[in-house]
């Protein structure tokens, strides 16, 4: 399956050739701060993703084990990569619609913001599942 997506301003675009898993919505503090809210993503093999507009893509080392890619022009939170695992999580909101995807789980509920509740029926986990 081939899909594509873009940041808000269009400086960074990407193509993915992979089967997508269900969407994971992460409520951890890092996702909330870098995206402004919980961050929805799909994890795919790193080699399945072709990124264009690398000049406008900056990687932020959000921890010793992961980095996050965002557009330097518009600030869109596009990617999360756990280093050395060969996989990359793509911001589900940056995919071209319709995606046909559904939400599979919510993670890091322990860090969830106090300004919202989750009425979604997908499973919820306190940390990572
Ligand atoms: Zn952009
Ligand atoms: Zn997170």
């Amino acid at each position: 399956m081939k899909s594509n997506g873009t940041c808000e301003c269009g400086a960074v675009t990407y193509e993915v050739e992979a089967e997508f898993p269900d969407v994971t919505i992460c409520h951890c503090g890092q996702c909330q701060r870098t995206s402004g809210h919980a961050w929805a993503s799909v994890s795919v093999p790193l080699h399945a993703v072709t990124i264009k507009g690398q000049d406008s893509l900056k990687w932020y080392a959000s921890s010793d084990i992961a980095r996050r890619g965002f557009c330097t022009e518009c600030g869109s939170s596009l990617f999360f990569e756990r280093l050395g695992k060969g996989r990359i999580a793509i911001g589900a909101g940056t995919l071209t619609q319709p995606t046909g995807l559904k939400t599979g789980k919510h993670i890091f509920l322990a860090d969830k913001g106090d300004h919202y509740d989750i009425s979604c029926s997908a499973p919820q986990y306190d940390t990572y599942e």
Side-chain angles (χ1 to χ4, degrees), residues 27-108:
H27 300 264
C28 83
Q30 287 180 357
C31 283
Q32 289 191 62
R33 286 186 291 272
T34 56
S35 76
H37 193 45
W39 193 63
S41 69
V42 284
S43 172
V44 296
L46 193 55
H47 63 74
V49 183
T50 304
I51 300 171
K52 291 178 184 160
Q54 300 267 5
D55 288 352
S56 299
L57 180 66
K58 177 156 183 165
W59 289 96
Y60 164 64
S62 53
S63 73
D64 289 344
I65 60 166
R67 63 179 189 166
R68 293 165 186 268
F70 66 94
C71 174
T72 58
E73 304 299 321
C74 69
S76 295
S77 298
L78 290 156
F79 308 113
F80 171 89
E81 182 186 355
R82 197 175 277 251
L83 302 174
K85 298 289 186 187
R87 297 189 71 81
I88 187 168
I90 299 171
T94 68
L95 287 163
T96 300
Q97 296 285 328
T99 65
L101 299 173
K102 63 182 174 57
T103 298
K105 63 188 171 188
H106 294 262
I107 61 173
F108 286 102

Side-chain angles (χ1 to χ4, degrees), residues 89-127:
I90 299 171
T94 68
L95 287 163
T96 300
Q97 296 285 328
T99 65
L101 299 173
K102 63 182 174 57
T103 298
K105 63 188 171 188
H106 294 262
I107 61 173
F108 286 102
L109 264 291
D111 300 334
K112 183 182 84 59
D114 62 3
H115 61 283
Y116 62 96
D117 293 313
I118 301 168
S119 56
C120 177
S121 60
Q124 301 180 16
Y125 303 96
D126 270 351
T127 56

